Amino acid sequence: MFRWRRNQRGVKRKSVFLAQEQWQYQGGGFKRLSQLPEHLMEVVAKKREVPDIIRELDSFSVCLGFDCDQCLAVLKRLLGKLMNFEPRRSHDEGPQDEEQEQFAKTFCELGGVEVLLRLLMFGSILPHVVHANKVIWESERMLRIKSVVLEVLTKLTTTPVGEQVTSKLLESDDVLNYVFTLLAHQKTFVNSCQLIEDMLQSRKDVLDLHRIHNLRTLLSCLDDTQLANFCRILAVAISDLDIYENKSSLYAQNKQKRSKGFVNLRDINQELLLGIPELLPRLVKIAINKDYTPRYRGMVSELDCWMEWIENQMAEEVFEQQNHDDFEDFMGGISEPSAEGGHMVVQQGLKITEELVQRVEVVYVLGLFLLGKHRKKVQRKLADLKLAPGLSDLFDQFIWKYQVGRHHSRHRLRGHNAACECSPEVALKIQFLRLVHSFCDHSDYKHLLLSKNELSEVKRINAKAGPLALTNLDSINKMVGRQLMCRGSKGLLTKIVEVMKKEPTTSTFRFWLARAVESYLRGDTSYCDQIFLMRRGLLQHVASNIVEHEIRHKEILQSSFDLLGELIKFNWEAFKTFDSVLTTQSKFEKFVSTVNRNMVDSNMFIRSLVLSLEHFRSEGKDTEMDKKDSKLMAYICDFGRQLDYLYKLITIISVQNLTQENVSCLNTTLVFLMFANKKNQLPRYLQALRDEKENMADVTGAGSILQNFRDLLVFWQDHYLHKDKDCSALEKSSRISFSYWKKTVAMLVKDDNTDPNAVAYYINPLPAGRTN
């Protein structure tokens, strides 16, 4: 019979000799750290602290009637080892982080993660008592323990051993499903959401939400705060880029989409979620809720409001007695120890920050629903849920940078200059504008961003638009009666324009403000909407901003050119207004120079010039009159200049470097060549590319330029002619039927070096083995 030793806690441990003997005879030996004799602890680790914590937690994980308070005390000790309690500057690199990393490494090596998992799953394999509005019954004290376990695991994922931790957690779907159930409890929902988000981010593939048991029941159990928090998980599950191994290359994405066995899990997850009737209404309600941030009268910036709130909170907390754990108010992720091993205290700063982050996630997820294949369905549903008037009212609460006087701001964050826009609300503003952009993009409901009297103005303009008039404006009348439009004298669109006109050139928000308005104009070019915005000075403002300032931010410049392109397309009055900005030759030359130096960013504007030129010609406008009456028309009429643009657009892109940002350059080249094809002038353009640009080419010659172009056109066919691609946007924005797009590309890529309309004709010789 084997001899056993008992430690002070009464746990039986074998001697090393007997353990070895048992292993030889029966195949059983030491299996857990808690079974090792005391004198071996110093051999296992340099410091006894790590194995001692693991052994204590291990004893709790296998004992049904353990003391919750003792277990919580050990967990708080463990949590304290993974946290910083000393205030320090961000650039300080003391030994504290190194100690924490070493602690985390030792903890994982000695099986600490497995022990934490046993504590987390404690009781989960036994039958549960299921109540109404509850997914799973757990004692409140046990939930507090599990919440701290979740927080410890989350802290471990941020250390160098984080991948090992998440790999261990993902070994079984049971763990993931169980952590999902903890989302429904007040004490665990913040920490369980954070851990799930970390787990999903570490996966190589997107999680299929069908693998989560009773997801619909779970969502029905969540209150609004918990549902908003849950959106952090939804953002990972329905994000577009997460389904692709290569996040930027369109060529690599196309190749993956065409590969055998590829499944677009984003669309599958979206379909599952949209099948839950109450989900979108609840998300919209949370998103447009007005009371979301501290506001004080007389404060000129949102940062001032936040600093005032923080000062008030600190003043109150100084006199509050917090000598023991506040069990009732405990919430994981919000209640934190104030010192190593100290009491868990509710941190009000964390609480309100968490609430703001949750609203950001809700707005972000609503925007993601508008990016999938169910976009039209979601746009209609959000319109019916009165999203437009709700967003308009919420917009009134934002405080924008232009409202802050140079000498009036009381607070500035350390290390930040006077132009800094940092504030807790920046992310919310950006996601708000992204949502507006996605809601309006090629949408039948974009006019809901107007007020009723603004809609009447648009209709009056439309009545005098002649052949440029919209035919679907009358359908908006039903929505007016259902109170789906913006309230008051100004709609959301006008409010965005007014803010944009007052924002500094370098403002963080200019990109998304411009994108929101541009998306409103996308689709069938709308003369009445162009004039409506021109009356509010938008065209003059954007054009003047480019002429008068050196815009260094690529994103701001691109969004400005894209917006200008939509404002002037097919609109002769817009071209005349543009001339009122380019009043001198120096201004005109500066504008053109900016266009030419930034071809990727300005190519949509160039496309609008070409489309408008051909539109005006088709209406019978004399070319000489065009040159006389419009500087931009005179500029783009020149064949040599068109050829120069065509050459530059072809040479700045290749199949290997195509992304969602620059693929538009390829479509702009096709606009040039489609009009050339209509005039039977394709050979003229292609021959000019070969002959006139030969001296400008690299050492491989003009043939390589045309070969690159042919490869791009083959990619275009693969990208746009696939069944999952909606090409109506190309047709609507250009007023050229998509069948003609296809016909022109097919003609250009023909593998026939005897046809002067084919690119192959000008490549001498066509490389062996090259096919379409």
Side-chain angles (χ1 to χ4, degrees):
M1 180 177 293
F2 296 113
R3 296 190 303 276
W4 301 83
R5 296 178 182 176
R6 291 179 181 269
N7 68 354
Q8 294 177 348
R9 295 177 60 87
V11 177
K12 290 183 178 181
R13 292 199 178 92
K14 294 175 270 189
S15 71
V16 177
F17 173 77
L18 291 176
Q20 175 70 11
E21 188 177 8
Q22 186 182 25
W23 173 76
Q24 290 177 335
Y25 284 98
Q26 300 180 7
F30 294 128
K31 296 180 180 178
R32 298 203 303 270
L33 194 65
S34 59
Q35 296 173 331
L36 288 179
E38 296 281 351
H39 66 279
L40 290 183
M41 288 298 98
E42 294 180 3
V43 179
V44 172
K46 294 180 180 179
K47 294 184 178 181
R48 286 286 303 273
E49 196 169 22
V50 178
D52 281 348
I53 289 176
I54 294 176
R55 286 169 59 180
E56 288 187 78
L57 292 177
D58 191 23
S59 65
F60 295 127
S61 71
V62 295
C63 179
L64 288 176
F66 67 83
D67 188 318
C68 289
D69 292 335
Q70 281 188 346
C71 182
L72 186 61
V74 178
L75 284 169
K76 285 194 291 187
R77 265 172 51 209
L78 173 56
L79 182 60
K81 295 296 179 183
L82 299 168
M83 294 179 66
N84 287 324
F85 294 98
E86 295 297 328
R88 60 191 183 124
R89 295 181 181 178
S90 58
H91 60 270
D92 290 340
E93 294 184 2
Q96 196 169 14
D97 286 340
E98 293 181 9
E99 291 179 7
Q100 290 172 358
E101 290 175 3
Q102 185 58 46
F103 181 92
K105 181 180 178 182
T106 306
F107 184 83
C108 293
E109 287 175 348
L110 298 181
V113 176
E114 290 83 350
V115 174
L116 289 175
L117 273 178
R118 284 200 296 274
L119 266 177
L120 182 66
M121 303 292 286
F122 189 87
S124 65
I125 61 174
L126 299 176
H128 310 308
V129 179
V130 180
H131 297 291
N133 299 325
K134 289 288 184 182
V135 174
I136 180 173
W137 181 88
E138 302 256 20
S139 74
E140 293 294 303
R141 291 192 174 276
M142 197 63 196
L143 284 172
R144 185 158 66 151
I145 286 174
K146 294 189 174 187
S147 181
V148 180
V149 171
L150 291 168
E151 187 150 5
V152 171
L153 288 169
T154 301
K155 290 284 192 296
L156 287 171
T157 62
T158 64
T159 68
V161 295
E163 289 187 11
Q164 300 175 34
V165 176
T166 51
S167 295
K168 180 67 66 176
L169 295 172
L170 289 168
E171 285 180 358
S172 169
D173 273 3
D174 290 340
V175 174
L176 185 62
N177 269 284
Y178 179 68
V179 181
F180 262 90
T181 68
L182 295 177
L183 291 167
H185 298 286
Q186 197 68 20
K187 286 181 167 50
T188 54
F189 78 93
V190 174
N191 280 337
S192 58
C193 187
Q194 179 63 61
L195 185 61
I196 292 171
E197 186 179 10
D198 290 343
M199 293 166 68
L200 298 188
Q201 292 282 15
S202 68
R203 288 171 59 102
K204 293 183 179 179
D205 56 343
V206 177
L207 173 69
D208 183 353
L209 290 177
H210 287 87
R211 292 169 62 181
I212 304 305
H213 308 322
N214 299 319
L215 181 62
R216 295 188 180 211
T217 307
L218 172 64
L219 288 176
S220 67
C221 294
L222 304 181
D223 62 27
D224 286 348
T225 301
Q226 292 166 334
L227 179 60
N229 194 58
F230 183 68
C231 283
R232 293 164 60 184
I233 297 170
L234 295 185
V236 181
I238 64 175
S239 175
D240 187 12
L241 286 181
D242 287 335
I243 64 176
Y244 298 113
E245 296 172 2
N246 190 302
K247 307 301 183 188
S248 59
S249 168
L250 287 180
Y251 176 77
Q253 290 180 16
N254 277 2
K255 188 175 180 181
Q256 185 179 347
K257 280 195 290 187
R258 312 296 186 261
S259 63
K260 185 177 181 180
F262 174 76
V263 178
N264 191 328
L265 285 171
R266 177 200 65 175
D267 289 341
I268 292 174
N269 287 339
Q270 282 204 15
E271 191 167 352
L272 171 64
L273 293 168
L274 292 173
I276 303 175
E278 69 274 12
L279 181 59
L280 278 182
R282 291 185 64 188
L283 293 180
V284 170
K285 177 184 174 183
I286 296 169
I288 64 178
N289 182 24
K290 295 179 184 179
D291 300 325
Y292 73 102
T293 54
R295 287 290 183 260
Y296 299 93
R297 289 185 179 180
M299 298 295 177
V300 294
S301 78
E302 58 196 27
L303 185 56
D304 285 337
C305 292
W306 279 96
M307 296 301 293
E308 180 71 16
W309 179 86
I310 290 172
E311 290 174 1
N312 293 339
Q313 290 295 318
M314 291 176 65
E316 290 292 327
E317 290 179 4
V318 168
F319 299 100
E320 289 182 4
Q321 297 293 325
Q322 294 180 334
N323 296 324
H324 59 278
D325 288 6
D326 193 341
F327 179 79
E328 293 300 324
D329 290 339
F330 173 87
M331 185 184 298
I334 303 299
S335 299
E336 296 278 7
S338 54
E340 188 172 336
H343 302 296
M344 304 290 284
V345 179
V346 175
Q347 306 290 325
Q348 292 299 326
L350 290 176
K351 185 175 182 180
I352 196 166
T353 302
E354 183 71 26
E355 291 171 357
L356 182 62
V357 170
Q358 288 167 3
R359 182 185 287 252
V360 172
E361 294 292 348
V362 171
V363 176
Y364 178 54
V365 165
L366 284 174
L368 288 178
F369 277 124
L370 288 163
L371 298 179
K373 70 176 185 179
H374 305 287
R375 176 170 56 107
K376 291 294 184 183
K377 173 183 175 182
V378 176
Q379 284 175 335
R380 182 177 67 252
K381 183 68 174 177
L382 293 181
D384 290 338
L385 292 171
K386 302 182 180 180
L387 178 69
L391 291 179
S392 182
D393 292 344
L394 180 61
F395 191 86
D396 293 335
Q397 294 191 60
F398 292 147
I399 301 175
W400 297 90
K401 181 179 174 62
Y402 71 83
Q403 294 173 286
V404 182
R406 180 175 296 179
H407 304 293
H408 294 93
S409 183
R410 297 186 307 141
H411 303 285
R412 186 186 303 165
L413 299 178
R414 179 180 294 177
H416 295 237
N417 60 35
C420 183
E421 299 171 329
C422 288
S423 133
E425 297 174 42
V426 169
L428 179 59
K429 289 179 179 179
I430 291 174
Q431 295 305 331
F432 176 98
L433 293 170
R434 287 187 67 171
L435 176 58
V436 174
H437 168 271
S438 300
F439 177 71
C440 291
D441 193 16
H442 295 89
S443 172
D444 297 328
Y445 309 97
K446 65 182 184 181
H447 288 100
L448 296 180
L449 265 64
L450 306 176
S451 65
K452 294 178 182 178
N453 62 311
E454 288 174 338
L455 179 62
S456 298
E457 179 185 348
V458 168
K459 287 182 176 180
R460 289 194 297 272
I461 298 170
N462 194 56
K464 299 177 182 179
L468 297 177
L470 292 180
T471 59
N472 61 346
L473 271 182
D474 290 336
S475 63
I476 218 78
N477 290 333
K478 297 179 181 178
M479 300 180 187
V480 174
R482 291 162 56 195
Q483 304 298 314
L484 302 184
M485 301 196 68
C486 296
R487 296 176 281 268
S489 60
K490 296 179 180 178
L492 179 56
L493 181 67
T494 298
K495 294 175 184 177
I496 292 174
V497 170
E498 289 179 349
V499 166
M500 183 180 174
K501 288 169 63 178
K502 295 174 182 176
E503 280 290 287
T505 302
T506 58
S507 168
T508 303
F509 306 109
R510 281 196 71 90
F511 171 77
W512 282 109
L513 288 164
R515 291 277 283 165
V517 181
E518 182 225 336
S519 70
Y520 177 86
L521 291 170
R522 278 187 193 174
D524 290 324
T525 301
S526 171
Y527 172 85
C528 56
D529 289 312
Q530 290 172 326
I531 298 299
F532 175 82
L533 290 168
M534 286 168 57
R535 286 180 177 179
R536 281 145 184 83
L538 184 61
L539 175 59
Q540 296 93 322
H541 167 73
V542 179
S544 298
N545 200 47
I546 294 175
V547 171
E548 296 171 6
H549 300 92
E550 289 292 337
I551 302 177
R552 300 184 183 276
H553 293 84
K554 170 183 170 62
E555 294 79 10
I556 295 175
L557 193 61
Q558 183 186 69
S559 61
S560 299
F561 276 122
D562 288 351
L563 178 54
L564 278 179
E566 292 296 337
L567 282 168
I568 67 169
K569 194 188 299 180
F570 308 129
N571 192 320
W572 184 251
E573 291 181 44
F575 278 88
K576 296 298 295 177
T577 301
F578 217 122
D579 279 347
S580 69
V581 176
L582 307 177
T583 52
T584 65
Q585 187 62 24
S586 61
K587 288 184 177 181
F588 179 78
E589 289 177 356
K590 181 178 180 182
F591 180 81
V592 169
S593 175
T594 305
V595 171
N596 295 339
R597 287 197 316 270
N598 304 275
M599 292 292 292
V600 172
D601 303 322
S602 64
N603 87 88
M604 293 294 289
F605 177 76
I606 295 170
R607 189 192 305 182
S608 288
L609 292 182
V610 176
L611 287 168
S612 300
L613 171 65
E614 297 302 330
H615 170 76
F616 296 148
R617 283 175 170 172
S618 68
E619 285 190 330
K621 288 186 180 291
D622 183 79
T623 303
E624 292 302 318
M625 184 64 68
D626 290 347
K627 291 180 179 179
K628 178 181 177 181
D629 290 350
S630 169
K631 293 183 176 69
L632 289 174
M633 280 293 99
Y635 179 78
I636 201 65
C637 275
D638 183 74
F639 173 75
R641 191 162 288 116
Q642 290 185 21
L643 191 65
D644 189 49
Y645 279 138
L646 189 58
Y647 169 78
K648 288 179 180 178
L649 288 168
I650 291 173
T651 53
I652 60 179
I653 54 175
S654 66
V655 172
Q656 286 70 34
N657 70 10
L658 275 181
T659 66
Q660 200 63 50
E661 296 301 316
N662 62 23
V663 70
S664 58
C665 293
L666 177 55
N667 289 323
T668 300
T669 64
L670 284 173
V671 168
F672 280 100
L673 296 178
M674 280 189 292
F675 286 124
N677 190 28
K678 283 186 177 182
K679 302 170 188 175
N680 296 317
Q681 292 185 353
L682 262 183
R684 181 189 180 196
Y685 278 80
L686 296 176
Q687 185 67 43
L689 279 175
R690 176 187 172 95
D691 296 341
E692 296 184 28
K693 297 303 176 184
E694 201 165 26
N695 294 331
M696 300 175 62
D698 58 16
V699 293
T700 55
S704 66
I705 296 171
L706 290 171
Q707 184 61 61
N708 176 58
F709 185 45
R710 189 172 186 277
D711 291 341
L712 286 165
L713 294 174
V714 172
F715 166 84
W716 189 94
Q717 289 180 316
D718 182 59
H719 185 67
Y720 284 101
L721 303 185
H722 200 262
K723 61 181 180 181
D724 66 347
K725 191 70 176 178
D726 180 11
C727 300
S728 59
L730 281 179
E731 186 172 83
K732 290 180 179 179
S733 64
S734 65
R735 294 186 179 176
I736 301 173
S737 68
F738 189 68
S739 61
Y740 196 74
W741 284 78
K742 292 191 295 183
K743 177 183 176 181
T744 303
V745 174
M747 182 181 296
L748 288 166
V749 300
K750 275 197 305 184
D751 193 6
D752 182 359
N753 56 11
T754 64
D755 185 349
N757 289 309
V759 178
Y761 179 85
Y762 305 92
I763 303 173
N764 188 24
L766 186 66
R770 176 77 67 174
T771 64
N772 285 348

